[in-house]
């Protein structure tokens, strides 16, 4: 069976506008979108650029829009697509650097803003923290995020407001806020108590659909909202006393 | 010109650990072909070893027992003081990682859970379900963000520049700019990982072509024990994606086409949890003798573990099977075959991660201390990356603080290096006819797989060496067809291939030279270990373009060589 790959091509340092280029491709056996791209690059066009690394869905390099759907190129089998035309576009909401390679800088910047690292207690325990598996299971879903930015590309709020932190960063913040070992003070993460933070989410759950790892980032945002409100109420009462 | 005190090449676990332990008063940067989270460390699954003794069955575990298992697992080729150092550091390292935020799985009572792994006397492998590498890499990346570590992502080092035998810095290809840039550094730390993609079947990421090891070799650094290559017993048939040893640690069976747990014939005590070299050979033997399926694979059966255990302990494995093989291991056995997985050999370093060249250091898979000897135990590589990554960061800091201005004429040497690299690329581009790089790469993979795989002999290894020499000649006809230098994977691939040529020669020559069987190196024409003649490391040097071999003593402490029985 022959496929037509319609791939977005653009080099902003040379081209005025992006364009689609068609490549005819015949897979040999069970083939992923990423494997097909590599064959096309090797056999037809060595100027075609895209990111890749692990090829097993864990490194997060190859988030793409594949026939209008967000997924990792490496874990999308050609025979699961309903069409013999495969349209490949770079992740939206991020500027194209070249072809399918996007500028991830705003995504990493948003991540850095939520301080995505454990705030340790003043005194570290001698051995490991004693925490039960069921406590850790609460963050399991968010720990499995690979930061591929599919959710960021799919988010309609990011599309209209570049200052919104986006689903992945907020879900990551929730991962730490819920970690029984984390001691971040409320005032430190209350800075996402804004329209650019937790209240920006439209709750249309595009991020949940786009996520290739079933992280369900919107769950994290909702959880943060609840925790935010709960903390504010607690503080109100504290002040009154 | 960009300048740093310390430049770390590679941003996987070893590279990030080095960056985080470097003296914060020094200017340190990390350079890599990929963003840190895309490094191959992310794909490690099963766990990391430390004798915490958290399991009721592991109460008597200790650093000594860990060191003994490591040395025995490595068929007594490891330097015993190095293995002891790593195992002594294991517990503090795991505790430190836990304090930094690594979400390890837990036993009831809240302590870090530990599972049995191959070749280990006790359940010693700490884990986070079956994505241990992912959570460790993410945690070190988070710490790098916290500390604002300077990262050069999507830069490929194409040359290590030395002057008067001292480190000047590197020349790198900047993907985004499509240009080559010199970077001056007093100290360079190699943390570049392995070279799995020199093989057709490998568990490794597409990016692991050994380019970093190769360019260090080209610059004159000796490589050690390159003939020792680990073939992981269980890679998913078809795509060769890793199916973690944790699957057997949790109780999975290996079964041939007659329905027999064949490990009973090879390692009656340890069964599926014998060290990897032994299990990989057993599987290959079953397949070769016609007891596999379709002449290609055997079954890894997890169905008896039950749905709950698989979902809780091996969720990523299950997802891989569903996504890439269309089967659910809860209901169906997994088709598996051995595949290249790890390089025990690497850049020759001491316990302080220093190479013979002042200012150049190495840590992690690309280095050879040696802690793994002739065969690495599962769960020891993640440990090695962090323990020795940290040592490398500290050693490089010590050096950079005392190194003064660096060798005279360093900047000129770097500019010369830059011109050489640019000339090279122009050469590929000027050629109007020749061989495209993916043809050359494919030939290399076929050659290495067929001639330097699990089972080896003189005839095949001779052909491997000749084949590699032929590839070195054919590289002279490589042609670059792309015309845009921005984000050119073609430029990256050609450099990777070029750097791997002498590396492949070191591997195959080493394997031909070593006429014995030890650990992962199995010679069908010399099927016994020969301590009298071969209890020594192999060193490979590149002199005037020729690969020459030498040897180095193995350092012993208290573990006497014995026969490996499991």
């Amino acid at each position: 069976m022959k496929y037509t790959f319609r791939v977005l091509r653009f080099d902003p340092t040379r081209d005025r506008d992006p364009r689609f280029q068609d490549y005819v491709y015949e897979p040999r056996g069970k083939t992923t979108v990423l494997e097909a791209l590599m064959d096309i690059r090797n056999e037809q066009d060595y100027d075609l650029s895209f990111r890749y690394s692990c090829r097993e869905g864990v490194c997060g390099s190859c988030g793409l829009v594949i026939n209008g759907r967000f997924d990792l190129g490496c874990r999308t089998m050609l025979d699961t697509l309903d069409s013999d035309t495969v349209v490949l576009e770079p992740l939206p909401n991020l500027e194209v650097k070249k072809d399918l390679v996007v500028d991830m800088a705003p995504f990493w910047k948003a991540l850095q803003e939520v301080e995505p690292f454990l705030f340790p207690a003043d005194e570290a325990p001698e051995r490991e923290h004693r925490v039960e598996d069921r406590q850790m299971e609460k963050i399991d879903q968010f720990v499995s995020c690979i930061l591929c930015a599919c959710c960021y590309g799919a988010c309609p709020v990011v599309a209209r407001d570049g200052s919104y932190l986006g689903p992945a960063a907020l879900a990551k913040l929730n991962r730490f806020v819920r970690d029984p070992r984390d001691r971040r003070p409320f005032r430190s993460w209350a800075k996402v108590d804004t329209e650019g933070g937790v209240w920006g989410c439209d709750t249309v759950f595009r991020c949940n659909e786009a996520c290739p790892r079933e992280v369900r980032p919107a769950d994290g945002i909702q959880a943060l909202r609840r925790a935010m409100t709960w903390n504010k109420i607690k503080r109100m009462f504290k002040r009154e006393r | 010109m960009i300048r740093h005190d310390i430049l770390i090449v590679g941003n996987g676990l070893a590279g990030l650990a080095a960056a985080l332990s470097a003296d914060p008063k020094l200017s340190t940067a990390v350079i890599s072909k990929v963003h840190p989270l895309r490094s191959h460390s992310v794909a490690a699954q099963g766990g990391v070893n430390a004798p915490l003794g958290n399991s009721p069955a592991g109460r008597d575990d200790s650093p000594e027992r860990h060191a003994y298992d490591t040395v025995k697992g490595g068929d007594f080729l490891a330097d015993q003081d190095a293995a002891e150092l790593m195992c002594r550091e294991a517990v503090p390292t795991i505790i430190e990682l836990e304090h930094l935020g690594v979400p390890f799985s837990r036993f009831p009572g809240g302590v870090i859970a530990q599972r049995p792994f191959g070749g280990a006397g006790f359940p010693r492998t700490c884990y986070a379900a079956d994505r241990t590498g992912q959570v460790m890499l993410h945690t070190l990346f988070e710490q790098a963000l916290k500390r604002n570590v300077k990262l050069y992502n999507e830069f490929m080092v194409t040359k290590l520049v030395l002057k008067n035998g001292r480190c000047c810095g590197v020349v790198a290809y900047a993907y985004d700019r499509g240009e080559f840039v010199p970077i001056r550094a007093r100290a360079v730390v190699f943390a570049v990982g392995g070279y799995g993609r020199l093989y057709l079947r490998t568990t490794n990421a597409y990016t692991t072509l050994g380019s970093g090891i190769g360019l260090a070799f080209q610059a004159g650094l000796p490589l050690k024990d390159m003939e020792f290559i680990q073939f992981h017993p269980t890679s998913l048939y078809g795509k060769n994606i890793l199916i973690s040893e944790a699957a057997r640690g949790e109780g999975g069976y290996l079964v041939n086409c007659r329905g027999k747990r064949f490990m009973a014939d090879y390692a009656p005590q340890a069964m599926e949890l014998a060290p990897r070299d032994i299990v990989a050979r057993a599987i290959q033997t079953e397949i070769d003798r016609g007891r596999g399926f379709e002449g290609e694979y055997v079954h890894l059966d997890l169905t008896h573990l039950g749905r709950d255990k698989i979902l809780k302990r091996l969720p990523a494995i299950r997802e891989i099977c569903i996504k890439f093989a269309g089967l659910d291991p809860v209901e169906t056995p997994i088709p598996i075959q051995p595949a290249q997985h790890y390089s025990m050999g690497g850049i020759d370093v001491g316990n302080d991660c220093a190479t013979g060249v002042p200012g150049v250091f190495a840590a992690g898979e690309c280095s050879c201390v040696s802690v793994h000897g002739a065969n690495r135990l599962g769960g020891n590589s993640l440990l090695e990356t962090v323990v020795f990554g940290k040592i490398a960061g500290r050693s490089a800091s010590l050096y950079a603080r005392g190194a003064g201005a660096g060798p005279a004429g360093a900047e000129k040497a770097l500019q010369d290096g830059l011109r050489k690299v640019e000339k090279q690329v122009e050469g590929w581009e000027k050629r109007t006819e020749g061989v495209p790089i993916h043809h050359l790469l494919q030939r290399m993979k076929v050659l290495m797989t067929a001639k330097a795989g699990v089972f080896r002999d003189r005839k095949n290894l001779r052909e491997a060496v000749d084949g590699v020499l032929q590839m070195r000649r054919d590289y002279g006809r490589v042609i670059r067809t792309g015309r845009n230098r921005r984000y050119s994977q073609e430029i990256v691939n050609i450099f990777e291939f070029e750097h791997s040529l002498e590396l492949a020669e070191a591997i195959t020559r080493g394997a031909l030279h070593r006429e014995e069987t030890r650990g992962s190196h199995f010679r069908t024409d010399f099927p016994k270990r020969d301590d009298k003649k071969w209890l020594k490391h192999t060193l490979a040097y590149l002199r005037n373009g020729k690969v020459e071999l030498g040897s180095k003593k193995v350092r012993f402490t208290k573990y006497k060589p014995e026969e490996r029985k499991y």
Side-chain angles (χ1 to χ4, degrees), chain A:
Chain A
M1 178 174 172
K2 278 188 180 153
Y3 287 84
T4 301
F5 274 71
R6 188 158 294 166
V7 185
L8 188 122
R9 304 297 308 277
F10 185 47
D11 181 347
T13 67
R14 295 183 173 197
D15 310 328
R16 261 190 53 203
D17 298 300
R19 67 196 154 85
F20 279 100
Q21 186 164 343
D22 284 1
Y23 302 93
V24 176
Y25 176 70
E26 196 168 354
R28 297 170 285 256
K30 230 169 143 52
T31 304
T32 65
V33 166
L34 179 60
E35 287 167 334
L37 268 175
M38 294 187 76
D39 286 343
I40 290 168
R41 181 200 66 189
N42 290 347
E43 287 152 20
Q44 304 184 39
D45 186 352
Y46 240 122
D47 275 337
L48 179 61
S49 302
F50 47 94
R51 287 192 174 109
Y52 55 84
S53 179
C54 78
R55 64 79 169 89
E56 55 187 77
V58 69
C59 82
S61 298
C62 60
L64 292 171
V65 182
I66 303 162
N67 285 349
R69 290 195 50 215
F70 290 81
D71 211 330
L72 301 174
C74 72
R75 41 164 260 160
T76 304
M77 295 283 176
L78 291 185
D79 59 13
T80 62
L81 305 171
D82 321 319
S83 152
D84 55 8
T85 302
V86 184
V87 183
L88 297 182
E89 296 166 276
L91 292 180
N93 296 342
L94 295 160
E95 303 233 345
V96 174
K97 285 206 170 214
K98 187 163 179 294
D99 306 336
L100 301 176
V101 175
V102 292
D103 182 6
M104 295 279 285
F107 178 77
W108 299 125
K109 187 170 165 284
L111 180 71
Q112 192 150 18
E113 273 181 40
V114 305
E115 299 179 282
F117 39 80
L118 196 81
F119 279 49
D122 289 339
E123 241 174 273
E126 208 165 293
R127 291 275 292 202
E128 66 264 51
H129 293 89
R130 293 293 187 104
V131 282
E132 293 294 335
D133 240 359
R134 67 186 134 68
Q135 290 171 282
M136 296 303 278
E137 273 165 15
K138 286 184 192 149
I139 62 169
D140 231 32
Q141 169 189 355
F142 306 106
V143 163
S144 55
C145 170
I146 56 174
L147 295 166
C148 64
C150 279
C151 60
Y152 193 87
C155 177
V157 185
V158 174
R160 59 167 196 268
D161 176 6
S163 68
Y164 176 52
L165 290 170
L170 291 168
K172 184 61 88 175
L173 174 59
N174 184 59
R175 172 248 176 277
F176 284 105
V177 167
R178 311 242 143 212
D179 190 316
R181 303 166 297 175
D182 193 75
R183 292 286 171 275
R184 79 186 57 216
F186 177 59
R187 63 171 187 285
S188 135
W189 62 277
K191 67 185 173 199
V192 300
D193 185 17
T194 60
E195 283 297 311
V198 287
W199 306 108
C201 172
D202 266 356
T203 60
V204 292
F205 308 117
R206 292 274 161 72
C207 52
N208 289 358
E209 278 166 44
C211 179
R213 301 281 296 190
E214 294 169 49
V215 173
R216 301 181 58 84
D219 293 1
I221 301 174
Q222 305 269 56
L224 273 180
R225 283 180 175 180
R226 285 194 299 274
M228 184 78 67
T229 308
W230 175 239
N231 268 284
K232 284 201 284 200
I233 293 169
K234 268 202 314 203
R235 285 185 130 199
M236 228 149 53
F237 279 105
K238 257 190 201 157
R239 238 175 265 141
E240 275 175 18
R241 271 192 304 216

Side-chain angles (χ1 to χ4, degrees), chain B residues 413-475:
Chain B
L414 281 162
Q415 294 293 358
D416 290 348
L418 172 67
R419 265 191 299 279
K420 261 187 210 153
V421 167
E422 280 173 340
K423 266 229 156 83
Q424 232 178 325
V425 179
E426 282 159 21
W428 310 333
E429 288 171 345
K430 265 193 210 134
R431 238 162 252 153
T432 46
E433 54 187 287
V435 202
I437 187 61
H438 69 277
H439 285 187
L440 289 172
L441 263 171
Q442 184 66 15
R443 272 178 48 204
M444 175 73 90
K445 289 171 198 225
V446 170
L447 178 76
M448 294 298 283
T449 308
K451 309 285 176 192
V454 178
F455 292 109
R456 305 164 168 190
D457 61 41
R458 183 183 291 145
K459 179 176 167 289
N460 277 298
L461 289 168
R462 188 68 252 173
E463 288 170 15
V465 173
D466 292 343
V468 172
L469 289 172
Q470 182 59 42
M471 309 277 315
R472 282 182 72 172
R473 287 189 288 277
D474 291 347
Y475 162 71

Side-chain angles (χ1 to χ4, degrees), chain A residues 52-53, chain B residues 11 32-36 38-39 152-155 207:
Chain A
Y52 55 84
S53 179
Chain B
N11 57 17
S32 171
K33 296 193 284 191
V34 293
H35 181 277
R38 316 320 184 201
S39 288
Y152 294 97
N153 300 334
E154 299 183 332
F155 278 72
T207 46

Side-chain angles (χ1 to χ4, degrees), chain B residues 234 243 247-248 252-255 298-302 332-336:
Chain B
T234 59
I243 302 296
R248 282 171 286 137
Y253 297 151
L254 288 168
V255 181
V298 297
H299 277 159
L300 172 60
D301 193 348
L302 309 183
T332 318
I334 310 168
I336 56 93

